[in-house]
C-alpha cells in the first residue's frame, strides 16, 4: 500500500452496484468489457510484454483495476478499432503497437539477455525511461521510433483504465446515466444513487 | 456491380447533406444520399460509455502533419448518417456581422461573398426548425434570438461556478442556445442531463439530423445508402460531373446523376476532388484556382481545469451549458485580431485523462492517478477561439492507398501567430474566472474543435472554389456544401451556419435543376 500515497475519496462507492438501472445496451457493453472474449491479434508473448509494460507505466492503477487490460486491447485490435494513424505518423496505431511490443523484447534481450517481462523492476524502469525519450537502439526501433510507440500505447492504456468501472468508483464518477439521468441540481445537491459526498475543505 | 441513375446524388448524410436531402425530398427530384457510416438508432446503437461510442468518430487513416498536427478523429469528425452532428454538443450560435467581413473590418483573413443579412432568414428558419432552446433575453442578439424553447434550467455545479466567476469579474454570461429540448416535442423527451452528448444522445433529446432532416428526407422518398463510401467522381465530355463510384458490401458500384452535391466534410471533400482528377481536370475537379484543400481551419478549444474545495462533479448535465460572448472581438483592445468565446465544458473521465496525457507526457502512472482522484473537485472552463485561414494549412494526397485504393489524405496544419495570441489571452481570462469563483487553476489543456475550409466560397473563380451557393466555378452541376466552404473560422460554433447555408444552397439547387430541365 506504500505505493498508494493518495487514496480514493469514496472507499465504499461501487458504480457496478447500480448496473441494473442502466439501459440494456450499456449493460452489455460493460459486461463484455469486464468479461472480454478472446481477441486474435496479440500473441501470448505480446500480452505478457504489454502487461509488464502497463505495470511499469501505471503501477498503482493496476492494483485497483478489474479489467484485463491486455484482453480489452486485444479485443479492440481484433475489432479494427485502432486502424487510424496517431498524429504525425503514417502507420496505424495497430501496427505501431504490435511492432513496438516486438522491438521492446528485442532490445531487452540484446541488452540484458532476458525478455522484458522477466526483468526486475529497476531494469524495466531504466529501459522504459530510455525508450520514452526516443533513445531506443536505432537498429531495432527503425520502423517505429520508441517515443511514438510509447505515446501511442500510453494513450490506449489510459483510455482502457478510465473505462474501468472499478476506477470510476475510485474517482467517484457516476458512470452510465440512462435512462434515469440527473435530477438534483444546485450546490451540494446530488442524486441519491451517486457517490455520497465526502468531507469538504480538501484544499 | 450495380448501376443506377438519379437526378441528384448527395455524398455525406451529415449536417449539410441531410438538410439538402430534406429540402429536395419535397420537390419532384429523384434523390439518393450516401454515407460512409451506418444509420444508427439511438436506443439500440448508442451506449452511455465513452470508449464504446468512439464508433461515432471517423476511423479511417489520415496523416496529420505540420507544426501543430490536428486531431482528425474524435474532436472533429464523425462517420455515419447524421455526420459529426450526432456527437456534437449542440451549442448553436449565429455568426457576427463582422465574421463575414474580417478583411474589411480588421484587415485579416478574407471577406465572404455573402453578408449576415443574406443568412439571416435561414438562421431564423433553422432556429425554429431545430427547436433551439435559449434564454428569453439573450444578451447578444446577433448571435441568437427568439428561441422557441426555454433555456435549460438544471445547471451543473461546473456551470454555476463558471457563471459565478464571470459575474465577479464583471463579464456578461447566459445559458447557451442549444439544439437540446428543454421541454417535450411530439414523441421526443426533454434532456435528462445525462451528460453524454458527445457520445450520442440515447434519450433523443438532442436535435440532430437523425431526428429531423433524415426522417423528413426518407418520408419524401430520398434513397439513403448507409455504409456506402464514395471513392471517386467522373466527368463526361461536356466537362460536367456525371458518375459517382462507391463501395458497398465490398464491391464498387456506380450512380449516374444530373447534379452531384458533395457534403463529406472538410477532409474527405477535398480528398475526393483531388483524387478524381482526369485529363480534363488534371489538378483535380473544381480546382482551376488551385485552392481545393487549401485554407483548412479549426477552432482552438483550450480548457482550464481548476480545483475547488467542494465537490463539483463535472460529469453531471450536458457538457456545454453556459457561455460568454463578451470577448468575441476582444482582440482590438488587446493587441491581436478577432477574439474568442467562453464556455463551461464538463468532461467525462476518458476524455479528461486523455487530454491530461496529450498535454503532459509525464502525466502517466502515479501522476495521472493523483490528478484523477480529484476529478470530482475539478471544474473545466473552455475557450473557443477564432483561427485565421492560411493557404499553407491544407489537405493533400499521399502515395499510400487505403483499403478502397484511394490515396490517404495528408493534413498539414500550423497555427497563425494571431491564433497563439488569442489562446494566451483566453488562458488568462479563464484563470481569472476560476480564481474569482474560488478555485485554484491547475492545468491548461490545449485542444481544438471543428474543421472548416478546404473549398472556400467566393465571387472570384481565381481565389475561391465555389460560389456562395456552393456551386463549383468550374463544373456547374457540382455543388459543395457544409464546413469546407467556410472562408473564416469564427469563434461562434459553426453548425447553425452550416445548416442555414445548406438550406440556402438547397433552394438554389432546386431552381438550378429546373433550369437544367
Ligand atoms: C465533439 C464535437 C462537438 C461539436 N460540438 C458542436 C457544437 O456544440 N456546436 C456546433 O455548432 N458544432 C459542433 N460540432 C461541429 C459539427 O459537428 C460540424 O460542424 C458539422 O457536423 C459539420 O457538418 P458537415 O455537414 O459539413 O459534415 P458532417 O456532419 O461531418 O457530415 C459529413 C458526412 O460525410 C460522410 N462522408 C465522408 N466521406 C464520405 C465518403 N467518401 N463517402 C460517403 N460519405 C462520406 C461522413 O460519414 C459524414 O457523415 C462538434 C463536433 C464535434 C466532433
Ligand atoms: S445531456 Fe441531454 S442532450 Fe446530452 S445526451 Fe444527455 S439527454 Fe441528451
Amino acid at each position: 500500500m506504500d505505493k498508494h500515497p493518495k487514496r480514493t475519496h469514496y472507499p465504499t462507492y461501487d458504480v457496478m452496484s447500480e448496473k441494473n438501472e442502466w439501459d440494456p445496451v450499456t449493460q452489455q457493453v460493460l459486461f463484455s468489457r469486464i468479461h472480454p472474449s478472446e481477441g486474435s491479434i496479440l500473441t501470448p508473448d505480446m500480452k505478457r510484454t504489454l502487461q509488464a509494460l502497463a505495470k511499469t507505466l501505471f503501477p498503482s492503477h493496476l492494483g485497483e483495476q478489474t479489467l484485463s487490460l491486455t484482453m480489452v486491447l486485444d479485443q479492440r485490435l481484433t475489432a479494427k478499432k485502432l486502424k487510424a494513424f496517431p498524429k504525425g505518423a503514417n502507420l496505424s496505431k495497430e501496427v505501431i503497437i504490435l511492432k513496438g511490443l516486438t522491438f521492446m523484447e528485442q532490445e531487452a534481450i540484446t541488452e540484458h539477455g532476458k525478455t522484458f517481462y522477466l526483468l526486475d523492476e529497476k531494469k524495466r524502469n531504466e529501459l522504459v525511461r530510455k525508450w520514452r525519450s526516443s533513445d531506443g537502439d536505432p537498429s531495432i526501433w527503425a520502423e517505429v521510433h520508441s517515443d511514438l510507440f510509447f505515446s501511442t500505447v500510453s494513450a490506449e492504456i489510459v483510455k482502457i483504465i478510465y473505462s474501468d468501472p472499478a476506477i470510476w468508483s475510485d474517482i467517484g464518477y457516476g458512470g452510465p446515466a440512462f435512462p434515469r439521468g440527473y435530477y438534483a441540481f444546485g450546490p451540494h445537491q446530488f442524486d441519491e444513487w451517486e457517490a455520497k459526498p465526502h468531507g469538504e475543505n480538501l484544499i | 456491380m450495380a448501376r443506377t441513375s438519379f437526378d441528384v446524388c448527395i455524398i455525406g448524410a451529415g449536417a449539410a447533406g441531410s438538410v439538402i436531402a430534406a429540402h429536395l425530398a419535397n420537390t419532384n427530384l429523384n434523390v439518393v444520399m450516401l454515407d460512409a457510416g451506418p444509420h444508427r438508432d439511438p436506443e439500440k446503437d448508442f451506449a452511455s460509455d465513452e470508449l464504446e461510442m468512439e464508433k461515432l468518430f471517423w476511423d479511417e487513416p489520415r496523416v496529420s502533419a505540420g507544426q501543430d498536427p490536428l486531431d482528425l478523429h474524435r474532436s472533429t469528425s464523425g462517420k455515419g448518417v447524421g455526420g459529426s452532428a450526432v456527437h456534437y454538443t449542440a451549442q448553436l450560435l449565429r455568426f457576427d456581422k463582422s465574421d463575414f467581413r474580417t478583411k474589411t473590418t480588421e484587415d485579416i483573413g478574407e471577406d465572404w461573398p455573402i453578408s449576415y443579412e443574406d443568412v439571416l432568414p435561414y438562421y431564423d428558419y433553422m432556429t425554429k426548425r431545430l427547436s433551439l432552446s435559449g434564454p428569453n433575453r439573450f444578451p447578444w442578439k446577433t448571435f441568437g434570438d427568439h428561441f422557441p424553447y426555454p433555456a435549460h434550467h438544471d445547471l451543473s455545479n461546473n456551470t454555476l461556478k463558471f457563471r459565478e466567476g464571470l459575474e465577479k469579474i464583471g463579464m456578461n454570461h447566459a445559458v447557451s442556445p442549444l439544439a437540446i429540448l428543454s421541454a417535450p416535442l411530439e414523441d421526443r423527451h426533454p434532456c435528462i442531463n445525462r451528460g453524454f452528448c458527445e457520445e450520442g444522445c440515447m434519450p433523443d433529446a438532442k436535435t440532430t439530423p437523425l431526428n429531423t432532416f433524415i426522417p423528413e428526407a426518407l418520408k419524401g422518398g430520398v434513397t439513403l445508402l448507409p455504409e456506402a463510401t464514395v471513392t471517386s467522381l467522373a466527368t463526361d465530355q461536356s466537362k460536367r460531373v456525371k458518375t459517382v463510384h462507391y463501395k458497398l458490401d465490398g464491391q464498387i458500384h456506380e450512380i449516374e446523376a444530373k447534379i452531384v452535391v458533395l457534403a463529406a466534410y472538410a477532409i474527405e471533400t477535398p480528398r475526393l476532388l483531388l483524387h478524381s482528377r482526369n485529363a480534363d481536370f488534371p489538378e483535380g475537379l473544381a480546382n482551376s484556382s488551385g485552392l481545393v484543400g487549401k485554407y483548412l481551419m479549426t477552432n482552438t478549444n483550450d480548457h482550464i481545469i481548476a480545483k475547488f474545495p467542494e465537490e463539483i462533479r463535472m460529469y453531471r448535465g450536458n457538457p456545454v451549458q453556459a457561455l460568454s460572448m463578451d470577448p468575441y472581438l476582444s482582440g482590438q483592445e488587446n493587441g491581436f485580431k478577432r477574439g474568442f468565446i467562453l464556455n463551461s465544458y464538463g468532461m467525462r473521465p476518458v476524455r479528461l485523462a486523455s487530454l491530461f496525457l496529450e498535454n503532459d507526457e509525464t502525466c502517466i502512472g502515479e501522476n495521472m492517478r493523483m490528478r484523477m482522484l480529484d476529478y470530482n473537485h475539478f471544474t473545466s472552463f473552455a475557450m473557443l477561439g477564432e483561427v485565421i485561414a492560411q493557404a499553407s494549412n491544407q489537405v493533400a494526397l499521399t502515395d499510400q492507398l487505403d483499403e478502397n485504393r484511394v490515396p490517404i489524405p495528408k493534413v498539414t496544419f500550423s497555427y497563425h501567430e494571431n491564433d497563439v495570441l488569442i489562446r494566451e489571452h483566453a488562458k488568462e481570462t479563464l484563470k481569472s474566472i476560476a480564481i474569482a469563483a474560488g478555485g485554484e487553476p491547475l492545468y491548461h489543456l490545449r485542444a481544438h474543435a471543428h474543421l472548416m475550409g478546404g473549398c472556400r466560397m467566393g465571387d472570384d473563380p481565381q481565389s475561391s472554389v465555389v460560389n456562395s451557393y456552393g456551386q463549383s466555378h468550374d463544373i456547374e452541376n457540382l455543388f459543395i456544401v457544409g464546413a469546407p466552404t467556410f472562408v473564416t473560422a469564427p469563434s461562434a460554433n459553426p453548425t447553425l451556419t452550416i445548416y442555414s447555408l445548406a438550406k440556402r444552397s438547397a433552394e438554389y439547387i432546386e431552381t438550378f435543376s429546373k433550369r437544367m430541365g
Side-chain angles (χ1 to χ4, degrees):
Chain A
M1 287 306 265
D2 288 339
K3 275 193 180 159
H4 299 226
K6 187 163 169 170
R7 307 276 165 79
T8 170
H9 302 309
Y10 311 95
T12 58
Y13 175 57
D14 177 14
V15 167
M16 286 303 278
S17 67
E18 293 287 327
K19 68 171 186 298
N20 293 337
E21 299 294 326
W22 307 341
D23 66 275
V25 184
T26 304
Q27 286 192 35
Q28 183 54 45
V29 165
L30 266 295
F31 182 85
S32 44
R33 183 171 305 148
I34 296 168
H35 310 282
S37 50
E38 272 310 321
S40 55
I41 305 285
L42 294 176
T43 62
D45 269 349
M46 285 174 170
K47 283 188 186 161
R48 275 191 287 263
T49 309
L50 182 67
Q51 189 62 31
L53 174 66
K55 221 169 171 174
T56 310
L57 290 176
F58 296 90
S60 53
H61 276 97
L62 293 196
E64 290 157 355
Q65 256 204 294
T66 50
L67 291 184
S68 162
L69 215 146
T70 51
M71 295 269 282
V72 175
L73 187 70
D74 199 15
Q75 204 179 40
R76 283 169 59 73
L77 286 163
T78 308
K80 295 266 165 258
K81 302 264 185 201
L82 274 69
K83 60 183 177 180
F85 299 172
K87 282 182 197 173
N90 60 0
L91 293 172
S92 69
K93 294 176 187 175
E94 169 171 345
V95 168
I96 291 167
I97 290 176
L98 297 184
K99 288 203 185 284
L101 290 171
T102 314
F103 297 162
M104 275 178 66
E105 288 306 348
Q106 282 176 17
E107 191 161 356
I109 288 170
T110 315
E111 193 146 317
H112 299 291
K114 265 189 194 169
T115 59
F116 182 78
Y117 57 83
L118 291 178
L119 294 177
D120 61 35
E121 199 178 312
K122 188 164 161 268
K123 292 214 172 77
R124 278 189 201 169
N125 280 330
E126 271 168 23
L127 277 175
V128 166
R129 210 170 303 127
K130 164 171 151 183
W131 288 328
R132 281 182 56 203
S133 55
S134 99
D135 262 335
D137 179 342
S139 65
I140 295 175
W141 294 90
E143 264 174 287
V144 173
H145 289 288
S146 62
D147 54 347
L148 174 63
F149 165 69
F150 272 87
S151 58
T152 307
V153 79
S154 306
E156 288 308 310
I157 296 176
V158 160
K159 282 195 219 166
I160 297 174
I161 289 179
Y162 285 93
S163 297
D164 182 342
I167 300 283
W168 295 346
S169 302
D170 264 3
I171 63 175
Y173 167 56
F178 180 67
R180 68 188 156 183
Y182 294 99
Y183 285 93
F185 281 91
H188 309 290
Q189 301 219 24
F190 300 108
D191 287 83
E192 40 102 32
W193 52 268
E194 296 180 67
K196 295 279 165 283
H198 68 91
E200 308 266 328
N201 302 320
L202 240 192
I203 294 181
Chain B
M1 183 186 85
R3 189 178 286 133
T4 43
S5 72
F6 288 87
D7 295 325
V8 182
C9 175
I10 304 169
I11 301 165
S18 67
V19 169
I20 307 278
H23 182 91
L24 298 183
N26 297 311
T27 65
N28 55 11
L29 294 167
N30 190 10
V31 181
V32 63
M33 177 159 65
L34 303 87
D35 201 282
H39 188 184
R40 299 186 179 93
D41 173 347
E43 218 172 305
K44 296 202 198 95
D45 300 320
F46 293 180
S48 291
D49 186 78
E50 291 180 89
L51 196 62
E52 172 69 12
M53 295 316 294
E54 275 190 359
K55 66 185 179 192
L56 297 179
F57 313 149
W58 189 263
D59 59 353
E60 302 294 333
R62 289 168 166 174
V63 176
S64 182
Q67 273 167 35
D68 305 292
L70 297 176
D71 170 353
L72 300 172
H73 304 276
R74 192 229 176 266
S75 303
T76 52
S77 317
K79 184 180 188 183
V81 176
S84 314
V86 174
H87 67 283
Y88 67 0
T89 49
Q91 174 168 282
L92 292 197
L93 295 166
R94 303 171 184 201
F95 286 170
D96 185 48
K97 292 182 182 176
S98 67
D99 284 320
F100 297 92
R101 310 170 60 235
T102 63
K103 179 83 182 154
T104 304
T105 59
E106 294 196 49
D107 194 26
I108 197 153
E110 193 50 73
D111 289 351
W112 293 53
I114 42 170
S115 68
Y116 181 88
E117 285 69 26
D118 293 317
V119 196
L120 188 57
Y122 301 94
Y123 279 150
D124 287 340
Y125 169 82
M126 283 297 169
T127 300
K128 290 199 193 100
R129 180 71 183 86
L130 298 164
S131 315
L132 293 197
S133 62
N136 46 10
R137 280 179 46 211
F138 193 54
W140 306 277
K141 285 201 181 305
T142 15
F143 295 99
D145 204 1
H146 291 300
F147 305 108
Y149 276 71
H152 284 251
H153 48 80
D154 288 337
L155 301 180
S156 65
N157 292 332
N158 190 47
T159 303
L160 295 178
K161 290 291 180 198
F162 174 69
R163 298 188 76 181
E164 184 185 330
L166 284 162
E167 184 71 33
K168 287 195 171 142
I169 64 168
M171 289 175 81
N172 292 297
H173 51 89
V175 175
S176 293
L178 297 167
I180 296 180
L181 294 179
S182 56
L185 169 69
E186 292 163 7
D187 53 357
R188 286 173 54 209
H189 295 286
C191 172
I192 58 167
N193 279 303
R194 144 185 180 268
F196 286 85
C197 302
E198 292 183 8
E199 284 68 41
C201 180
M202 291 188 86
D204 214 20
K206 187 170 77 173
T207 304
T208 75
L210 286 178
N211 49 31
T212 49
F213 307 112
I214 297 291
E216 190 180 333
L218 293 175
K219 197 166 153 218
V222 169
T223 303
L224 177 65
L225 297 179
E227 300 188 80
T229 303
V230 173
T231 54
S232 66
L233 310 176
T235 50
D236 62 13
Q237 285 118 336
S238 57
K239 297 189 185 173
R240 288 172 155 226
V241 62
K242 186 175 178 206
T243 318
V244 172
H245 300 275
Y246 66 99
K247 190 152 179 196
L248 177 68
D249 293 333
Q251 285 196 6
I252 297 288
H253 308 278
E254 271 182 27
I255 290 172
E256 277 194 8
K258 292 181 189 142
I259 296 174
V260 172
V261 181
L262 199 40
Y265 206 32
I267 312 296
E268 298 310 302
T269 297
R271 179 188 183 201
L272 271 173
L273 293 171
L274 294 173
H275 169 59
S276 301
R277 65 174 179 261
N278 59 34
D280 286 327
F281 298 96
E283 301 306 321
L285 303 188
N287 198 20
S288 66
S289 62
L291 294 181
V292 167
K294 304 263 167 74
Y295 295 106
L296 185 77
M297 298 166 286
T298 185
N299 288 123
T300 45
N301 188 202
D302 303 341
H303 301 244
I304 282 282
I305 306 296
K307 188 169 159 186
F308 280 73
E310 66 269 42
E311 288 183 60
I312 302 294
R313 306 197 184 189
M314 65 160 92
Y315 58 82
R316 312 176 90 251
N318 59 304
V320 172
Q321 294 187 325
L323 84 179
S324 177
M325 310 289 295
D326 278 2
Y328 205 80
L329 297 173
S330 56
Q332 285 159 357
E333 295 124 47
N334 292 291
F336 53 92
K337 307 216 168 162
R338 311 302 298 159
F340 57 96
I341 68 172
L342 299 166
N343 272 121
S344 55
Y345 200 142
M347 286 184 275
R348 273 120 287 284
V350 173
R351 173 65 172 158
L352 180 61
S354 300
L355 271 187
F356 274 149
L357 178 64
E358 235 178 271
N359 276 270
D360 176 2
E361 59 181 26
T362 68
C363 185
I364 55 170
E366 207 55 36
N367 280 344
M368 172 75 84
R369 181 176 170 276
M370 299 279 265
R371 285 192 198 183
M372 290 301 288
L373 281 175
D374 288 333
Y375 173 62
N376 276 352
H377 287 264
F378 291 151
T379 55
S380 167
F381 305 156
M383 56 79 81
L384 199 62
E386 177 149 354
V387 160
I388 304 302
Q390 301 178 78
S392 52
N393 288 336
Q394 58 169 308
V395 182
L397 302 180
T398 63
D399 309 331
Q400 267 174 290
L401 299 182
D402 72 4
E403 58 189 27
N404 297 327
R405 307 201 55 73
V406 179
I408 288 173
K410 176 176 176 182
V411 176
T412 308
F413 192 87
S414 308
Y415 285 111
H416 188 275
E417 57 184 4
N418 196 69
D419 309 341
V420 178
L421 292 173
I422 289 180
R423 287 186 117 153
E424 283 308 307
H425 191 77
K427 176 178 162 188
E428 295 312 314
T429 312
L430 288 167
K431 276 191 189 163
S432 59
I433 297 167
I435 293 168
E440 184 193 352
L442 291 180
Y443 312 107
H444 179 235
L445 303 180
R446 279 166 204 272
H448 70 98
H450 318 136
L451 294 172
M452 288 150 281
C455 292
R456 56 157 53 170
M457 59 164 79
D459 290 327
D460 179 358
Q462 288 189 333
S463 59
S464 61
V465 177
V466 294
N467 68 20
S468 76
Y469 299 100
Q471 184 177 33
S472 154
H473 293 305
D474 303 341
I475 304 178
E476 70 163 0
N477 68 336
L478 175 66
F479 288 80
I480 296 167
V481 293
T485 65
F486 278 32
V487 179
T488 60
S491 51
N493 313 54
T495 311
L496 187 62
T497 304
I498 292 176
Y499 284 131
S500 300
L501 290 178
K503 182 71 180 169
R504 186 171 175 270
S505 295
E507 290 175 357
Y508 181 87
I509 292 169
E510 184 186 355
T511 316
F512 173 76
S513 74
K514 286 185 188 140
R515 246 193 7 242
M516 268 179 89

